[in-house]
Amino acid sequence: MKLNALLDVAAVAHEAEDEVTVLVDLEAPAAPVDATRAPASLQIVLDRSGSMAGPPLAGAKAALVALIRRLEPTDNFGLVTFDDSAQVVVAAGPLTDKERAVRAVESVEAGGSTDLSAGYLRGLRELRRVASAGGTVLVVSDGHVNAGLRDADEFATVTAKAYADGVVTSTLGYGRGYDETLLAAIARAGNGNHVFADNPDAAGAAIAGEVDGLLNKVVQAASLIVTVEDPVALAHLYNDLPTRQISANQLMVELGDFFGAEGRRVLMKFRVPGMAALGPARIATLELAYVELPGLIEHVVSLPVSVNVVPGDEAAGRVPHPTVRSEALFQEAQESKRRASEAFERGDVGAGEALFDEARDRLREALPIAPAGLDRDIRAELDTVDAMGGMVHDLGTAYVAKLSRESHHQMNRKRGRAPRPGD
């Protein structure tokens, strides 16, 4: 994998407290053309509660049948459904009899209430039974949980533990009635994707996209260890990624899996105290660790981050690097967008619209300084925020809350991601 870092300012003032923002660019290798793909392991956890009756469940089943057709007989696949309890519809294992699996999927019918935790925990057991190296769980749900585990933080603890054991958890929110806070928290802690699908066609496309990434995965379990030099401090991580404090001066940022040629951007701010000595000074070291597929080869790449300590009059005239500064403003807009989603979810239209205005202000500030390429991202994001703002009164706050949450996920947690094959 490629690892590069760009600083907003390369110089800091002598004996003066300062801040340095660092943009980290990551890029996975292209998928090898002639290599044999390692078997994938995918466990579906499908909501079959009463609200899924009719087109929603029919659309989900059609998407799962198409998924089964695409997998190889050596791939592990399993389907657990849930309403007020969990049911194993397709026992996890190699797809040696696809037609039998298809018939089992087509037999699923709508049931009662929504106990997502029962389905998820049963799905985890199924996946772990056949995939010692981990795999992916995709949760598909259209409703609010009304039985079993309901607290988002408690559920996130479960999915974080699963990720520590090698299981990625993604979520697909189906329709306009699901709990976006819960499903987004599950995906964040499980280092997977969170997608909103408003109708059966969108759900089918979302499930197909998730499988595209799974089948073209070239890197798994990537993490970025940030080691700061005393007394420098990591002041802020802009991306809403799972983190773990390793020691007083070390933080691990979980990046998850990468598909072929995928790129990501991670943005962080360091607080730099007054430096007594002039000249070059290291403020941090970035260490990228990952497992390369299909050979399960472990890699570690290190990159020092240094600044130049100069007299105050030299530092006074510095201009922040436009790429890093515009990316910081872009990510501040994402935070406003996430908070807008929360406001719309609780029905506070005024607060949500004000936060959309705040996001627009950040993006408009970034546009004049953005370099070629990034300016297109910013214009597209302005169009997205404007479009969502126009939907509030026509389509309702519940719809916009979900759309905004999904958009935040893509532009913040998966920032820089290249299109998946087939996108």
Side-chain angles (χ1 to χ4, degrees), residues 404-423:
S404 184
R405 188 68 61 97
E406 179 197 39
S407 179
H408 167 267
H409 171 92
Q410 293 298 330
M411 295 295 106
N412 174 269
R413 293 195 57 231
K414 303 294 182 179
R415 172 67 175 141
R417 164 169 276 199
R420 279 187 276 226
D423 280 5

Side-chain angles (χ1 to χ4, degrees), residues 178 180-181 184 194-197 333-345 351-353 355-357 359 381 384-389 391-392 396-413:
Y178 72 89
E180 59 266 33
T181 295
H194 170 61
V195 184
F196 164 43
Q334 300 313 306
E335 175 60 16
S336 297
K337 198 165 65 178
R338 183 191 65 78
R339 291 168 55 210
S341 173
E342 293 175 347
F344 289 129
E345 186 180 8
E353 290 181 328
L355 286 161
F356 272 171
D357 286 340
E381 185 66 7
T384 296
V385 176
D386 283 342
M388 290 190 297
M391 296 174 186
V392 173
T397 56
Y399 180 84
V400 176
K402 291 165 175 59
L403 203 63
S404 184
R405 188 68 61 97
E406 179 197 39
S407 179
H408 167 267
H409 171 92
Q410 293 298 330
M411 295 295 106
N412 174 269
R413 293 195 57 231

Side-chain angles (χ1 to χ4, degrees), residues 92-412:
L95 268 173
T96 52
D97 190 343
K98 288 191 177 185
E99 293 311 311
R100 181 179 180 182
V102 166
R103 289 193 298 272
V105 168
E106 291 176 339
S107 71
V108 174
E109 297 181 352
S113 57
T114 307
D115 186 349
L116 196 158
S117 60
Y120 180 74
L121 293 172
R122 190 69 182 92
L124 272 183
R125 291 209 307 275
E126 281 292 295
L127 183 64
R128 287 168 171 158
R129 180 174 57 76
V130 298
S132 58
T136 298
V137 175
L138 174 60
V139 177
V140 181
S141 179
D142 79 328
H144 279 253
V145 175
N146 50 29
L149 193 61
R150 308 182 197 187
D151 182 79
D153 290 338
E154 290 181 7
F155 221 130
T157 300
V158 175
T159 55
K161 172 66 167 59
Y163 180 73
D165 294 336
V167 177
V168 172
T169 302
S170 291
T171 57
L172 168 61
Y174 201 162
R176 305 185 189 183
Y178 72 89
D179 185 341
E180 59 266 33
T181 295
L182 177 63
L183 292 194
I186 289 172
R188 177 190 181 277
N191 233 310
N193 300 311
H194 170 61
V195 184
F196 164 43
D198 192 38
N199 55 61
D201 288 342
I207 291 172
E210 191 67 25
V211 175
D212 284 336
L214 179 68
L215 299 185
N216 289 278
K217 186 165 60 175
V218 297
V219 164
Q220 68 180 25
S223 62
L224 186 67
I225 297 176
V226 183
T227 304
V228 296
E229 300 291 329
D230 187 51
V232 177
L234 178 59
H236 182 52
L237 176 66
Y238 287 79
N239 306 78
D240 183 26
L241 294 166
T243 60
R244 180 160 55 90
Q245 198 74 38
I246 300 175
S247 65
N249 68 334
Q250 278 191 323
L251 182 76
M252 177 182 287
V253 182
E254 298 288 1
L255 302 172
D257 300 338
F258 285 67
F259 53 77
E262 179 182 356
R264 301 261 189 93
R265 283 185 157 183
V266 178
L267 190 69
M268 58 191 74
K269 181 183 291 184
F270 294 91
R271 185 176 299 111
V272 182
M275 299 282 197
L278 294 169
R282 181 180 298 191
I283 61 172
T285 301
L286 307 177
E287 185 177 282
L288 175 65
Y290 62 96
V291 177
E292 182 181 359
L293 300 176
L296 296 177
I297 303 169
E298 296 186 9
H299 296 272
V300 178
V301 181
S302 294
L303 181 68
V305 179
S306 300
V307 295
N308 193 27
V309 183
V310 299
D313 56 344
E314 290 186 30
R318 66 189 183 180
V319 177
H321 195 289
T323 298
V324 183
R325 178 58 186 154
S326 52
E327 181 67 25
L329 289 165
F330 186 95
Q331 289 304 332
E332 289 171 8
Q334 300 313 306
E335 175 60 16
S336 297
K337 198 165 65 178
R338 183 191 65 78
R339 291 168 55 210
S341 173
E342 293 175 347
F344 289 129
E345 186 180 8
R346 62 177 183 265
D348 191 340
V349 176
E353 290 181 328
L355 286 161
F356 272 171
D357 286 340
E358 190 176 282
R360 291 187 189 94
D361 289 343
R362 297 292 181 273
L363 294 167
R364 288 170 182 146
E365 185 181 348
L367 195 54
I369 62 172
L374 185 52
D375 64 337
R376 290 194 297 271
D377 287 355
I378 293 170
R379 291 182 193 280
E381 185 66 7
L382 270 168
D383 289 343
T384 296
V385 176
D386 283 342
M388 290 190 297
M391 296 174 186
V392 173
H393 297 285
D394 293 337
L395 299 177
T397 56
Y399 180 84
V400 176
K402 291 165 175 59
L403 203 63
S404 184
R405 188 68 61 97
E406 179 197 39
S407 179
H408 167 267
H409 171 92
Q410 293 298 330
M411 295 295 106
N412 174 269

